[in-house]
Amino acid sequence: GQQLNQSPQSMFIQEGEDVSMNCTSSSIFNTWLWYKQDPGEGPVLLIALYKAGELTSNGRLTAQFGITRKDSFLNISASIPSDVGIYFCAGPNDYKLSFGAGTTVTVRA
Amino acid sequence: GAVVSQHPSRVICKSGTSVKIECRSLDFQATTMFWYRQFPKQSLMLMATSNEGSKATYEQGVEKDKFLINHASLTLSTLTVTSAHPEDSSFYICSARDVAGGQETQYFGPGTRLLVL
């Protein structure tokens, strides 16, 4: 499907730091989904956003649905080693998912 | 969240044989499931959309006779890789579309690692 523009592509962070990544699109989405994928596993849904302007938290994760409906960001606060992985944004586009290219997060202890 | 399972998690087969992978939505009904393929360090590539009770729709470049999809019930879709060859070795992931309460979400299975010798 259509690619979403996700940045950064990768990041190295210190344990305890906050992490932020975002996705943008040239098209409007009615839903934004954030997933995390660990090596050798399928993506796991972290947060689902359904309303423009919505700010939703899941533990140390916070995500927002941009008011233009063309962007979303994901924040991870106080990162820990198990936050390592690849984070994908996604949005349904005519029921198929469009994906961002992913943000690879590596945490330095 | 909802749970999607895949079986087997890992399979090794000889070239020329067929392999069937199952995808089940465990706690919700899914009229639509999706099959993806993922190469190392790359994003998921959609192969086909599996529709309960009707034929699957395939993405451009995906051979429907090579990758047979059957979605016989609201909780089960199967992908059969026919006459597998080493280039079919990959990580195959399914997802199931959940539209409960009018809100659309997709839940992914844990993936199946296929190695064709």
Side-chain angles (χ1 to χ4, degrees), chain B residues 68-83:
Chain B
L68 300 178
I69 291 172
N70 185 14
H71 193 153
S73 78
L74 287 171
T75 59
L76 173 64
S77 174
T78 60
L79 169 70
T80 301
V81 183
T82 62
S83 187

Side-chain angles (χ1 to χ4, degrees), chain B residues 24-43:
Chain B
R24 293 181 187 273
S25 56
L26 297 184
D27 49 2
F28 68 103
Q29 294 183 329
T31 55
T32 307
M33 292 184 174
F34 302 89
W35 287 96
Y36 296 85
R37 187 171 177 176
Q38 188 176 36
F39 294 102
K41 299 189 187 300
Q42 292 189 22
S43 189

Side-chain angles (χ1 to χ4, degrees), chain A residues 90-101:
Chain A
N93 182 13
D94 193 21
Y95 70 83
K96 298 179 188 178
L97 280 185
S98 296
F99 289 97

